Amino acid sequence: DASKEIIDYLFKLVTAHEKNNLLDAHIIVLKIIKILAEKLIVDGFYIKEKHDDESYELVISITEYIDYHYAQKISLDDLARMTCYNKTYLSNIFKKKTGITIFEYLRNVRMQHCLYELKHSDDTIVSIALNNGFANIQIFNRVFKEVYQMTPKQYREKNKK
């Protein structure tokens, strides 16, 4: 049940904040958002605006595409071709409906997968970065440090299970 799952995550979120573990708190918040979004989609609950159903369907198709293809190179041109909408419209609708850009969403999905692999696999950091859609290790390291204020190596050492 989604309600129980969210409550469990909220308790975990409080614990993460008490321990000042911002990385885990960030991941938990993303998981809660994912559950809420899935619940809204399953229940067909939409806030009504003009053309709203079409807008939400478009956002859903973009997020599903990214969730499935995150490890590949994804461009705005690819998404425009896939949806048959122009790039500006796609960007604007996505930002309006989600509060983040398409590429922030893509980065978050990739980072979630990287965090999991850093914690649970022995793959090299380079291979984790490249296997999850980052063009090179330099970009991955820069983005990781911007988001989590530590290097991937520091995260792995701190969180390795």
Side-chain angles (χ1 to χ4, degrees):
D1 172 50
S3 303
K4 281 184 177 182
E5 211 174 343
I6 290 172
I7 290 169
D8 288 343
Y9 278 127
L10 288 172
F11 282 119
K12 290 177 184 177
L13 182 60
V14 169
T15 303
H17 275 287
E18 286 172 350
K19 293 181 179 178
N20 203 23
N21 190 336
L22 300 179
L23 275 172
D24 283 348
H26 180 79
I27 293 168
I28 293 166
V29 168
L30 289 173
K31 288 178 179 179
I32 291 170
I33 291 169
K34 182 180 181 197
I35 292 167
L36 290 171
E38 288 169 350
K39 181 83 174 128
L40 292 175
I41 293 165
V42 168
D43 290 351
F45 176 78
Y46 301 113
I47 299 167
K48 293 296 178 192
E49 292 177 9
K50 188 174 184 179
H51 306 294
D52 216 35
D53 287 344
E54 181 182 327
S55 300
Y56 276 106
E57 290 300 319
L58 181 58
V59 169
I60 290 164
S61 70
I62 292 169
T63 58
E64 287 176 345
Y65 182 85
I66 289 172
D67 289 348
Y68 188 74
H69 295 94
Y70 68 91
Q72 301 167 8
K73 183 179 181 217
I74 298 175
S75 71
L76 206 45
D77 286 326
D78 297 332
L79 296 173
R81 269 191 302 279
M82 178 196 80
T83 60
C84 299
Y85 287 96
N86 74 48
K87 297 184 292 188
T88 305
Y89 180 76
L90 281 182
S91 297
N92 291 338
I93 288 296
F94 195 92
K95 174 82 176 184
K96 179 180 175 190
K97 299 299 178 191
T98 66
I100 60 174
T101 67
I102 291 171
F103 289 100
E104 286 170 326
Y105 181 80
L106 175 60
R107 181 201 67 198
N108 290 344
V109 169
R110 285 176 172 165
M111 291 305 283
Q112 230 180 341
H113 287 275
C114 289
L115 288 173
Y116 181 85
E117 289 185 33
L118 285 168
K119 199 171 185 176
H120 299 286
S121 85
D122 293 323
D123 293 348
T124 66
I125 292 171
V126 171
S127 108
I128 289 171
L130 297 177
N131 290 340
N132 285 289
F134 287 91
N136 60 54
I137 189 65
Q138 292 80 13
I139 292 171
F140 175 65
N141 283 333
R142 181 178 46 78
V143 170
F144 196 98
K145 192 147 187 162
E146 282 172 14
V147 174
Y148 301 112
Q149 289 78 51
M150 68 176 73
T151 66
K153 184 179 178 188
Q154 290 168 326
Y155 175 82
R156 175 174 259 174
E157 289 167 355
K158 182 179 176 187
N159 294 284
K160 189 72 175 158
K161 297 281 184 197

